Amino acid sequence: MQPTLDLQNVTIAYHGKIALHRASLQLSPGTICGLVGMNGAGKSTLFKAIMGFVKPDEGQVLVNGLPVKSAQKRSQIAYVPQSEDVDWNFPVNVEDVVMMGRYGYMNWLRSPKPSDRAIVHESLARVELSDLCDRQIGELSGGQKKRAFFARALAQQSPVLLLDEPFAGVDIKTEKLMINLLMDLRDAGHTILISTHDLSSITTFCDQVVLINRSILAYGETSEVFTEENLSRTFGGSMQGLKGG
Amino acid sequence: MELLLIPDLLAPLQHEFMLKAIAVSALVGLVCSALSCYMTLKGWALMGDAVSHAVMPGVVVAYLLSIPLAIGAFVFGVGSVAAIGFIQSKTRIKEDTVIGVVFTGLFALGLVMVSKTKSTIDLPHILFGNVLGISDGDIIQTVVISVITLSVLALLRKDLVLFCFDSTHARSIGLNTGLLHYVLLSLLSLTAVAGLQTVGVILVVAMLVTPGATAYLLTDQFDRMVWIAMASGVFSSVVGTYLSYFIDGSTGGCIVVLQTLLFCVAMVVAPKYGLLATRSARKAPIEPPPTPNSGGFE
C-alpha cells in the first residue's frame, strides 16, 4: 500500500546548522502518529518541511504520491500550527474562519456551495461551537479558538492532517474532545501526525510514535517504541519519572 | 432667503471643472477607500505613506518621457517596496527605519528632479493635488486605474482577506502568498497615483488609511467594513471638493479634514469599539473570573 505521508531522507539546515538530519517516515491511512521530542528537537521544522514552508536541503516529501505543492492545491493535507499567527481583531467571525478550510474546493472567486456550508456547520458542530459561529474570532476563549481552527482543518476533509502541539494551553475538555475527534478521523482512514508535550496521553490514542532529536531516533508501534529507554535517549536522560506523569 | 440660497449652493455645479472634479474625487475616494481596508488590516499605513512619496521620481521621469504618469509611478512604487525588502533582509536595520530611509530618499530625489525641470511640472500640484484643474488625459488615467483596482479587489477579495488574516493557512492550501503580496503592493502604487492627483503626495496616505480605520471601528464584518469605508470615502471626497469651492481653500485639505472628522465621530460613538461604548463597558459590574477548566465550554 502506498503511504499517505512519505518523508524520504529529509534534511533541513538553517544557516548551515542542521535542524533535521535525514528524516524518513512512512505513514499509512488510518494512523495516528505522535511526534515526541524536546523543544528545539526539530518537531516544528519537520512540520514546516512537510508543508513546504522550508525547502529540504536533501530528500523529499510526498503526500499520496504527490509533491507537497500539488497535494496542498488538491486539499490533500491540512495543517494546524502550534499557535495561530493571526490578527485576533480581524473582522471575521468563527464561521468565516472555518469556511476558509473549504477554499480549496471552491472556484477561484471562492463562492461557497450549499455543500460547503453544510460541511462548515457539521465541522462546527463536531467541535461544539455551533452556538458561537457568529462571534468575531477574537471573542473566543483560548480553547474555543483552538477548536475553531481545528474545525477549519476538519472542513478541509484532507486525508492527511498535521497538528503541531494542539493541546498546548487548552483546557482539559477541549483536549479530550479533540482526541476523540482524532480517533474518529483515524477510524475513517485519515493519516494524522501530531506533536505533543503531553506524554501521558500518547499511549491512549497514538498508534505509532516518532521520537526525534534533530534526527529520527526511533519510529514504530507505540507499544514497542514508547519505552523508558528510548524516551531517555530522546530527552537526553532527563526523563526519570516523567513518563506517565 | 432660501430662494437666494439654493442657486448659491448649486453654483459650483454650473461649472464643468467642478463637476469633473467632484466626479474624479468621488471615484478616487471610492478606490482608495476599498484598498484602505486591506491597508489598515495588514498594518501597511507606513508602507502606504512610503509608496505614495516614493512614486515622485517616477512621476517626473514619466513626464520627461511623455508616458502616462501611472507607469512611472508604478515602477518606482513597486521598486521602492522591493528595495525596502532587499535592504531589510541584507542589513540589520529594522523595517520602519528602512522605510523611512527609502521613501524620504526617493521623495528628495523627486524634489531635485522637479526643481530642475520646472518648466513642465508644477510642484505644488504634485504635493497638494490639483483636482480642480485636472486634464482629460488624467481623468482617463484615473478611470483606468480605478477599474483595474476595483476589479482585482472584487475578484481576489476572499484570497486577499485570507492572506491578510492568516497567511500561513493561505500557504498551506497552496495559494501563492508572494504573488498576493505583490498584487496588493501594485494596487497600492496605482492608487497612490490616482490619489496624488486629487489630494497630492502628502495627503494620499490619508485616503489609503483613514476610511478603512473609520470602518474598522464600526463593524466586525469584512464586507460591511468595505462598504462603510467606501461610503465614507466618497462622502468626504464629494462634500470636501464642493466645500473647497465655497471656502476657496485646498481641495485635498478639505477632503482629508472631512475624513478625519468622520474618523473622530466613529471613534467616539462606534457602537462596540467607540470610546463611549468601551467606557460604559468598563463601568459595568465586573463578572467573577471563570473557574479553571471552564473557560473552554459554554
Side-chain angles (χ1 to χ4, degrees):
Chain A
M1 189 166 53
Q2 176 180 287
T4 36
L5 182 61
D6 187 3
L7 273 77
Q8 301 168 350
N9 287 319
V10 173
T11 298
I12 307 265
Y14 294 118
H15 309 296
K17 207 176 156 215
I18 288 188
L20 194 63
H21 185 62
R22 298 181 71 82
S24 289
L25 189 63
Q26 282 78 36
L27 299 183
S28 307
T31 309
I32 300 179
C33 178
L35 180 63
V36 177
M38 287 189 295
N39 286 332
K43 287 176 294 181
S44 290
T45 300
L46 183 74
F47 280 126
K48 286 176 185 163
I50 296 173
M51 292 308 292
F53 296 165
V54 291
K55 207 175 137 34
D57 293 279
E58 277 175 39
Q60 64 169 348
V61 179
L62 295 176
V63 179
N64 270 336
L66 295 167
V68 179
K69 204 89 205 155
S70 323
Q72 287 169 337
K73 286 184 178 160
R74 288 175 176 76
S75 304
Q76 294 289 301
I77 184 162
Y79 172 54
V80 183
Q82 180 168 1
S83 56
E84 301 295 341
D85 182 21
V86 303
D87 172 6
W88 294 109
N89 294 314
F90 205 91
V92 288
N93 65 27
V94 176
E95 191 180 344
D96 295 333
V97 170
V98 179
M99 189 62 86
M100 289 167 184
R102 300 297 303 165
Y103 281 10
Y105 296 92
M106 297 178 191
N107 60 17
W108 54 284
L109 281 175
R110 316 288 177 208
S111 32
K113 293 185 286 290
S115 59
D116 294 313
R117 293 188 194 284
I119 289 163
V120 165
H121 288 143
E122 187 205 317
S123 305
L124 281 166
R126 289 179 83 177
V127 300
E128 299 178 15
L129 281 181
S130 298
D131 299 343
L132 303 178
C133 68
D134 290 334
R135 290 272 186 98
Q136 193 268 333
I137 187 70
E139 291 171 5
L140 300 186
S141 70
Q144 289 167 342
K145 284 173 182 161
K146 199 79 210 176
R147 278 187 277 145
F149 283 91
F150 187 59
R152 182 172 74 182
L154 290 177
Q156 286 182 255
Q157 296 189 324
S158 306
V160 178
L161 188 58
L162 307 180
L163 300 107
D164 195 357
E165 293 285 354
F167 309 133
V170 305
D171 51 286
I172 193 80
K173 280 180 179 172
T174 291
E175 178 172 342
K176 278 186 178 152
L177 178 130
M178 286 176 65
I179 287 177
N180 284 332
L181 283 171
L182 289 174
M183 294 199 285
D184 290 348
L185 289 172
R186 185 250 328 260
D187 296 342
H190 292 256
T191 308
I192 298 158
L193 181 64
I194 176 171
S195 75
T196 175
H197 269 107
D198 186 0
L199 299 184
S200 60
S201 66
I202 294 243
T203 47
T204 65
F205 74 99
C206 291
D207 312 302
Q208 299 185 343
V209 178
V210 178
L211 301 179
I212 181 174
N213 191 1
R214 297 192 182 276
S215 63
I216 290 179
L217 301 176
Y219 160 52
E221 298 301 312
T222 306
S223 53
E224 290 161 24
V225 173
F226 206 65
T227 60
E228 197 91 38
E229 189 196 336
N230 275 338
L231 284 172
S232 98
R233 276 206 302 151
T234 309
F235 290 87
S238 59
M239 270 305 296
Q240 270 71 25
L242 266 181
K243 191 196 165 194
Chain B
M1 187 71 188
E2 246 174 49
L3 287 172
L4 281 174
L5 260 174
I6 288 168
D8 283 348
L9 286 175
L10 293 177
L13 304 181
Q14 285 160 357
H15 302 290
E16 200 196 330
F17 77 90
M18 273 307 291
L19 289 174
K20 272 188 192 168
I22 289 175
V24 169
S25 48
L27 186 60
V28 171
L30 184 79
V31 175
C32 289
S33 304
L35 192 63
S36 74
C37 295
Y38 298 89
M39 295 295 121
T40 36
L41 290 173
K42 194 90 186 114
W44 276 5
L46 189 58
M47 195 67 99
D49 206 17
V51 169
S52 58
H53 281 75
V55 299
M56 261 283 268
V59 170
V60 182
V61 170
Y63 252 115
L64 295 176
L65 298 177
S66 315
I67 55 172
L69 296 195
I71 294 174
F74 181 77
V75 169
F76 272 79
V78 174
S80 70
V81 173
I84 289 165
F86 176 80
I87 296 171
Q88 195 195 347
S89 64
K90 299 289 175 193
T91 67
R92 59 199 294 264
I93 315 287
K94 289 187 185 124
E95 187 183 28
D96 60 337
T97 310
V98 179
I99 291 175
V101 170
V102 170
F103 94 71
T104 47
L106 285 170
F107 184 64
L109 176 65
L111 281 181
V112 173
M113 290 166 75
V114 170
S115 67
K116 297 312 286 178
T117 52
K118 225 171 218 160
S119 51
T120 45
I121 304 169
D122 195 354
L123 184 60
H125 285 177
I126 294 185
L127 294 185
F128 305 112
N130 179 33
V131 73
L132 297 183
I134 194 163
S135 71
D136 286 350
D138 288 344
I139 292 178
I140 292 169
Q141 180 181 290
T142 304
V143 171
V144 171
I145 289 174
S146 304
V147 169
I148 293 174
T149 306
L150 290 175
S151 310
V152 173
L153 287 182
L155 293 175
L156 290 181
R157 180 179 54 115
K158 295 269 179 84
D159 286 8
L160 288 171
V161 169
L162 173 57
F163 167 63
C164 292
F165 172 63
D166 188 350
S167 63
T168 305
H169 182 67
R171 281 174 82 182
S172 82
I173 61 170
L175 294 185
N176 188 339
T177 48
L179 182 69
L180 291 172
H181 184 87
Y182 273 95
V183 165
L184 264 190
L185 286 171
S186 305
L187 295 182
L188 173 60
S189 303
L190 282 177
T191 44
V193 189
L196 186 152
Q197 291 176 332
T198 319
V199 299
V201 163
I202 294 176
L203 290 180
V204 130
V205 67
M207 306 281 282
L208 288 167
V209 173
T210 310
T214 305
Y216 182 55
L217 288 169
L218 293 170
T219 180
D220 273 336
Q221 277 177 276
F222 182 80
D223 289 355
R224 211 174 279 175
M225 178 176 167
V226 174
W227 288 116
I228 295 173
M230 293 197 298
S232 82
V234 172
F235 173 84
S236 308
S237 289
V238 171
V239 178
T241 310
Y242 185 77
L243 274 181
S244 72
Y245 175 90
F246 284 103
I247 65 170
D248 194 19
S250 154
T251 312
C254 285
I255 293 172
V256 174
V257 165
L258 277 180
Q259 283 186 348
T260 315
L261 284 177
L262 288 178
F263 173 81
C264 291
V265 172
M267 189 175 68
V268 176
V269 304
K272 196 165 160 191
Y273 302 111
L275 295 180
L276 294 178
T278 47
R279 200 173 143 203
S280 53
R282 266 206 302 279
K283 277 186 183 165
I286 297 162
E287 286 173 38
T291 52
N293 290 343
S294 74
F297 279 64
E298 257 119 23

